[in-house]
Amino acid sequence: MKRKQPTYNTYRCKGINNAIALLDSDRFQIVEVCIARLSAASKNKMVNQMISGCKVNYMDKDQFYKKYPDKKSQGISIKFSGQLTYNALPNFEDSNDVCLLALDQISDPQNFGQIIRTSECAGIDGIILPERRSVSITSSVLQVSQGSFCNINIIKSKNIKYTIKELKQNGYWIVGIENSIESKLWYDFNLKGKIGFVFGSEGEGIRPVIQKYCDLMLTIPMNGKINSLNISATVSAMLFERNRQILKSK
């Protein structure tokens, strides 16, 4: 009996960076490529080489921008489908230096897209996202990520508490990032090795029930009148501090 092939939702991303990342990936099926004539995308040599074999719809500029009004699209829009998330953690048994992010109730699509982009740039191994009470993966999220979603594992967790517990059982040190008088300074701790960062929602932070599963809480002190960073900025600071420590130790 022939096995039934899984079906996936379709998404749409615009812009040359997103297009190149999608066309270069073997994770996704390209449904359609729409290109505006005489646009930046139509003149891009790499794009023209990579769309060979795809269904391509060339459109006049007026027609294209009427259908896709985003002026940052650079004249290209790609419709695609494929597996964006996984249900199980990747196997990192053979690696001693692994970094995963667990996002506790992040709700803003722009922030999530930026977190995906920052994580890929920082070489992070995966992002853990709760199935419930969390931002969904949408075309808007993927658009903000600028193609970085093609190169990073996003793991859907039915219960983030148990996923964190599983990480701890596999030798990960779980570090929560929270503005708290009990938190230690972010640069005073060894962030190398197997580590799982936990970041909370934009307004509420990490829930107390999740904080109990953290081995350590770290904070980034604020010197201005505003007492908190945007969550995507916080993620960036922590991930690149980890990279700095790794590079310094080599």
Coordinates of all heavy atoms in Angstrom, one line a residue, residues 158-201:
K158 N 4.4 20.3 23.0 CA 3.0 20.3 23.5 C 3.0 20.8 24.9 O 2.0 21.4 25.4 CB 2.5 18.8 23.5 CG 2.2 18.3 22.1 CD 1.7 16.9 22.2 CE 1.3 16.4 20.8 NZ 0.8 15.0 20.8
N159 N 4.1 20.7 25.7 CA 4.3 21.2 27.0 C 5.7 21.6 27.2 O 6.6 20.8 27.4 CB 3.8 20.2 28.0 CG 3.7 20.7 29.4 OD1 4.6 21.5 29.9 ND2 2.6 20.4 30.1
I160 N 6.0 22.9 27.3 CA 7.3 23.4 27.3 C 8.0 23.0 28.6 O 9.2 22.8 28.6 CB 7.4 24.9 27.1 CG1 8.8 25.3 26.7 CG2 6.9 25.7 28.3 CD1 8.8 26.7 26.1
K161 N 7.3 22.8 29.7 CA 7.9 22.3 31.0 C 8.5 21.0 30.8 O 9.7 20.8 31.2 CB 6.8 22.2 32.0 CG 6.3 23.5 32.6 CD 5.4 23.2 33.8 CE 4.2 22.3 33.4 NZ 3.3 22.1 34.6
Y162 N 7.8 20.1 30.1 CA 8.4 18.7 29.9 C 9.5 18.7 28.9 O 10.4 17.9 29.0 CB 7.3 17.8 29.5 CG 6.2 17.6 30.6 CD1 4.9 17.7 30.3 CD2 6.6 17.4 31.9 CE1 3.9 17.6 31.3 CE2 5.6 17.3 32.9 CZ 4.3 17.4 32.6 OH 3.3 17.3 33.6
T163 N 9.5 19.6 27.9 CA 10.6 19.7 27.0 C 11.8 20.2 27.7 O 12.9 19.7 27.5 CB 10.2 20.6 25.8 OG1 9.0 20.1 25.2 CG2 11.3 20.7 24.8
I164 N 11.7 21.2 28.6 CA 12.8 21.7 29.3 C 13.4 20.6 30.2 O 14.6 20.4 30.4 CB 12.4 22.9 30.1 CG1 12.2 24.1 29.2 CG2 13.5 23.3 31.2 CD1 11.6 25.3 29.8
K165 N 12.5 19.8 30.9 CA 12.9 18.7 31.7 C 13.7 17.7 30.9 O 14.7 17.1 31.4 CB 11.6 18.1 32.4 CG 11.9 17.1 33.4 CD 10.7 16.6 34.1 CE 11.0 15.5 35.2 NZ 9.7 15.0 35.8
E166 N 13.2 17.4 29.7 CA 13.9 16.5 28.8 C 15.3 17.0 28.5 O 16.3 16.2 28.5 CB 13.2 16.3 27.5 CG 13.8 15.3 26.6 CD 13.0 15.1 25.3 OE1 11.9 15.6 25.2 OE2 13.6 14.5 24.4
L167 N 15.5 18.3 28.3 CA 16.8 18.9 28.0 C 17.7 18.7 29.2 O 18.9 18.3 29.1 CB 16.7 20.3 27.7 CG 16.0 20.7 26.3 CD1 15.9 22.2 26.2 CD2 16.9 20.1 25.2
K168 N 17.2 18.9 30.4 CA 18.0 18.8 31.7 C 18.4 17.4 31.8 O 19.6 17.1 32.3 CB 17.1 19.2 32.9 CG 16.9 20.8 32.9 CD 15.8 21.1 33.9 CE 16.2 20.9 35.3 NZ 17.1 22.0 35.8
Q169 N 17.6 16.4 31.5 CA 17.9 15.0 31.6 C 19.0 14.6 30.6 O 19.7 13.6 30.8 CB 16.7 14.1 31.4 CG 15.7 14.2 32.5 CD 14.4 13.6 32.2 OE1 14.1 13.2 31.0 NE2 13.5 13.3 33.2
N170 N 19.2 15.4 29.6 CA 20.2 15.1 28.6 C 21.4 16.0 28.7 O 22.2 16.2 27.8 CB 19.6 15.3 27.2 CG 18.7 14.1 26.8 OD1 19.2 13.1 26.3 ND2 17.4 14.3 26.9
G171 N 21.6 16.6 29.9 CA 22.8 17.3 30.2 C 22.8 18.8 29.8 O 23.9 19.4 29.9
Y172 N 21.7 19.4 29.5 CA 21.7 20.8 29.2 C 21.5 21.6 30.5 O 20.8 21.2 31.4 CB 20.4 21.1 28.3 CG 20.6 20.7 26.9 CD1 20.4 19.4 26.5 CD2 20.9 21.6 25.9 CE1 20.5 19.0 25.2 CE2 21.1 21.2 24.6 CZ 20.9 19.9 24.3 OH 21.0 19.5 22.9
W173 N 22.2 22.8 30.5 CA 22.0 23.8 31.6 C 21.0 24.7 31.1 O 21.1 25.3 30.1 CB 23.4 24.4 31.9 CG 23.4 25.3 33.1 CD1 23.3 26.6 33.2 CD2 23.5 24.8 34.5 NE1 23.4 27.0 34.5 CE2 23.5 25.9 35.3 CE3 23.7 23.5 35.0 CZ2 23.6 25.8 36.7 CZ3 23.8 23.4 36.4 CH2 23.8 24.5 37.2
I174 N 19.9 24.9 31.9 CA 18.8 25.7 31.5 C 18.9 27.1 32.2 O 18.9 27.2 33.4 CB 17.4 25.1 31.9 CG1 17.4 23.7 31.3 CG2 16.3 25.9 31.4 CD1 17.5 23.6 29.8
V175 N 19.0 28.1 31.3 CA 19.2 29.5 31.8 C 18.1 30.4 31.4 O 17.8 30.6 30.2 CB 20.5 30.1 31.2 CG1 20.7 31.5 31.7 CG2 21.7 29.2 31.6
G176 N 17.4 30.9 32.4 CA 16.3 31.9 32.1 C 16.8 33.3 32.0 O 17.7 33.7 32.8
I177 N 16.2 34.1 31.1 CA 16.7 35.5 31.0 C 15.5 36.4 31.5 O 14.4 36.4 30.9 CB 17.0 35.8 29.5 CG1 18.0 34.8 29.0 CG2 17.6 37.2 29.5 CD1 19.3 34.6 29.7
E178 N 15.7 37.1 32.6 CA 14.6 37.8 33.2 C 15.2 39.0 34.0 O 16.2 38.9 34.6 CB 13.9 36.8 34.2 CG 12.6 37.4 34.8 CD 11.5 37.5 33.8 OE1 11.0 36.5 33.3 OE2 11.1 38.6 33.5
N179 N 14.5 40.1 34.0 CA 14.8 41.3 34.8 C 14.4 41.0 36.2 O 13.2 41.0 36.5 CB 14.2 42.5 34.2 CG 14.9 43.0 33.0 OD1 16.0 42.7 32.8 ND2 14.1 43.6 32.1
S180 N 15.3 40.7 37.1 CA 14.9 40.3 38.5 C 16.1 40.6 39.4 O 17.3 40.5 39.0 CB 14.6 38.8 38.5 OG 14.8 38.3 39.8
I181 N 15.8 41.0 40.6 CA 16.9 41.3 41.6 C 17.6 40.0 42.0 O 18.7 40.1 42.5 CB 16.3 42.0 42.8 CG1 15.3 41.1 43.5 CG2 15.8 43.4 42.5 CD1 14.8 41.7 44.9
E182 N 17.0 38.9 41.7 CA 17.7 37.6 42.0 C 18.5 37.1 40.9 O 19.2 36.1 41.0 CB 16.6 36.6 42.4 CG 15.8 37.0 43.7 CD 14.7 36.0 44.0 OE1 14.6 35.0 43.2 OE2 14.0 36.1 45.0
S183 N 18.4 37.7 39.8 CA 19.1 37.3 38.6 C 20.6 37.7 38.6 O 20.9 38.8 39.1 CB 18.5 37.8 37.3 OG 17.2 37.3 37.2
K184 N 21.5 36.9 38.1 CA 22.9 37.2 38.0 C 23.2 38.0 36.7 O 22.4 37.9 35.8 CB 23.8 35.9 38.1 CG 23.6 35.2 39.4 CD 24.6 34.0 39.5 CE 24.4 33.3 40.8 NZ 25.3 32.1 40.9
L185 N 24.3 38.7 36.6 CA 24.6 39.4 35.4 C 24.9 38.5 34.3 O 25.6 37.5 34.4 CB 25.8 40.4 35.7 CG 25.5 41.5 36.7 CD1 26.8 42.3 36.9 CD2 24.4 42.4 36.2
W186 N 24.4 38.9 33.1 CA 24.5 38.0 31.9 C 25.9 37.6 31.5 O 26.1 36.5 31.0 CB 23.8 38.7 30.8 CG 24.4 40.0 30.4 CD1 24.6 41.1 31.1 CD2 24.7 40.4 29.0 NE1 25.1 42.1 30.4 CE2 25.2 41.7 29.1 CE3 24.6 39.8 27.8 CZ2 25.6 42.4 28.0 CZ3 25.1 40.5 26.7 CH2 25.6 41.8 26.8
Y187 N 26.9 38.5 31.7 CA 28.3 38.2 31.3 C 29.1 37.5 32.3 O 30.3 37.2 32.1 CB 28.9 39.5 30.8 CG 28.9 40.6 31.8 CD1 29.6 40.6 33.0 CD2 28.0 41.7 31.6 CE1 29.6 41.7 33.9 CE2 27.9 42.7 32.5 CZ 28.7 42.7 33.7 OH 28.6 43.7 34.6
D188 N 28.5 37.3 33.5 CA 29.3 36.6 34.6 C 29.2 35.1 34.6 O 29.7 34.4 35.5 CB 28.9 37.2 35.9 CG 29.4 38.5 36.2 OD1 30.4 38.9 35.5 OD2 28.9 39.2 37.2
F189 N 28.5 34.5 33.6 CA 28.2 33.1 33.6 C 28.8 32.5 32.3 O 28.8 33.1 31.3 CB 26.7 32.8 33.7 CG 26.4 31.4 33.8 CD1 26.6 30.7 35.0 CD2 25.9 30.7 32.7 CE1 26.3 29.3 35.1 CE2 25.6 29.3 32.8 CZ 25.8 28.6 34.0
N190 N 29.3 31.2 32.5 CA 29.8 30.5 31.3 C 28.7 30.0 30.5 O 27.9 29.2 30.9 CB 30.6 29.3 31.8 CG 31.2 28.5 30.7 OD1 31.1 28.8 29.5 ND2 31.9 27.4 31.0
L191 N 28.6 30.5 29.3 CA 27.4 30.2 28.4 C 27.8 29.2 27.3 O 27.0 28.9 26.4 CB 26.9 31.5 27.7 CG 26.5 32.6 28.6 CD1 26.1 33.8 27.8 CD2 25.3 32.2 29.5
K192 N 29.0 28.6 27.4 CA 29.4 27.6 26.5 C 28.8 26.2 26.9 O 28.2 26.0 27.9 CB 30.9 27.5 26.4 CG 31.6 28.8 26.1 CD 33.1 28.7 25.9 CE 33.8 28.3 27.1 NZ 33.8 29.3 28.2
G193 N 29.0 25.2 26.0 CA 28.6 23.9 26.3 C 27.1 23.7 25.9 O 26.6 24.4 25.0
K194 N 26.5 22.7 26.5 CA 25.0 22.4 26.2 C 24.2 23.3 27.0 O 24.1 23.2 28.2 CB 24.7 20.9 26.4 CG 25.2 20.0 25.4 CD 24.6 18.6 25.6 CE 24.9 17.7 24.4 NZ 24.3 16.4 24.5
I195 N 23.5 24.2 26.4 CA 22.7 25.2 27.1 C 21.4 25.5 26.4 O 21.2 25.4 25.2 CB 23.5 26.6 27.2 CG1 22.9 27.5 28.2 CG2 23.7 27.2 25.8 CD1 23.8 28.7 28.6
G196 N 20.4 25.7 27.2 CA 19.0 26.1 26.8 C 18.7 27.4 27.4 O 18.6 27.5 28.6
F197 N 18.5 28.4 26.5 CA 18.0 29.7 27.0 C 16.5 29.7 27.0 O 15.8 29.3 26.1 CB 18.5 30.8 26.1 CG 19.9 31.1 26.2 CD1 20.8 30.9 25.2 CD2 20.4 31.7 27.4 CE1 22.2 31.3 25.3 CE2 21.8 32.0 27.5 CZ 22.6 31.8 26.4
V198 N 15.9 30.3 28.1 CA 14.5 30.5 28.2 C 14.2 31.9 28.2 O 14.7 32.7 29.0 CB 13.9 29.8 29.4 CG1 12.4 30.0 29.4 CG2 14.3 28.3 29.5
F199 N 13.3 32.4 27.2 CA 12.9 33.8 27.1 C 11.4 33.8 27.3 O 10.6 33.0 26.7 CB 13.3 34.4 25.8 CG 14.8 34.4 25.6 CD1 15.5 33.4 24.9 CD2 15.5 35.5 26.0 CE1 16.8 33.5 24.7 CE2 16.9 35.6 25.8 CZ 17.5 34.6 25.2
G200 N 10.9 34.8 28.0 CA 9.5 35.0 28.3 C 8.8 35.9 27.3 O 9.4 36.5 26.5
S201 N 7.5 36.1 27.6 CA 6.7 37.0 26.7 C 7.1 38.4 26.9 O 7.7 38.8 27.8 CB 5.2 36.8 27.0 OG 4.9 37.3 28.3

